[in-house]
Structures are given as C-alpha cells and as structure tokens.
Amino acid sequence: MGGLLFASQSLCWFLLRSKRMGVPRWRRFSGLFLALSAVLALAGLASFALAAEALRAASTMALGAGGINGFITLFHRRVLSWLEHHQRGG
C-alpha cells in the first residue's frame, strides 16, 4: 500500500511539474494522499500496539510507509506554496 501511494503521488507531482495537471486538481490529490498516509500510519500504530508478535513487521512497515509518504506530501505542498509566493516577474 505504501509503495502504491508513493508511486501515485510521485506521478501526480511529475504531472504538475510538467504542466499536465493543474494546481487545484493537484491540491485535491495531495489532500487525499495526506489523508491516506495518516490512515496508513495510524493503522500501523494501532496494529503495532494491539496485534500479536506475528504482525509486528507489517505494523512497523505500515507505520513507516505512512510516515514517509505523509512527509513527502507535506514537503511537496510546502514547495508548491513557496513557488506560488516567490514567483519571479517575467
């Protein structure tokens, strides 16, 4: 799940940067990616706390994947915000 989330947000970032996707549409997708990252991280945290020892590795991977994907999404949103506010006159 984490790999699929990473690939889809990377594709959307590429489409945004190549001007094949508009900013409003990308913002909607990035909000969805952020929500999915949070759900993945919280599910990993909950299953880590509640599950048996057999699921510890999967719980850790879900927690890590959700965290890193959330970080990447927030980084992309911050970069876009910075680019919007610091555009050079042309």
Side-chain angles (χ1 to χ4, degrees):
M1 178 68 184
L4 181 62
L5 184 59
F6 176 78
S8 59
Q9 76 179 4
S10 296
L11 176 67
C12 286
W13 181 251
F14 169 75
L15 291 174
L16 174 72
R17 297 298 292 152
S18 63
K19 299 184 190 294
R20 295 179 188 158
M21 180 184 288
V23 173
R25 186 173 184 195
W26 181 84
R27 284 198 191 274
R28 284 192 303 271
F29 278 122
S30 71
L32 175 66
F33 296 147
L34 191 58
L36 290 174
S37 296
V39 166
L40 187 60
L42 290 174
L45 184 63
S47 64
F48 188 79
L50 302 175
E53 188 65 32
L55 295 177
R56 293 282 184 204
S59 301
T60 304
M61 287 178 62
L63 179 60
I68 195 71
N69 278 307
F71 175 77
I72 291 168
T73 303
L74 288 173
F75 176 76
H76 284 160
R77 291 174 72 105
R78 180 65 184 128
V79 166
L80 183 65
S81 176
W82 186 86
L83 287 172
E84 288 177 340
H85 289 98
H86 294 89
Q87 289 181 351
R88 296 183 182 178

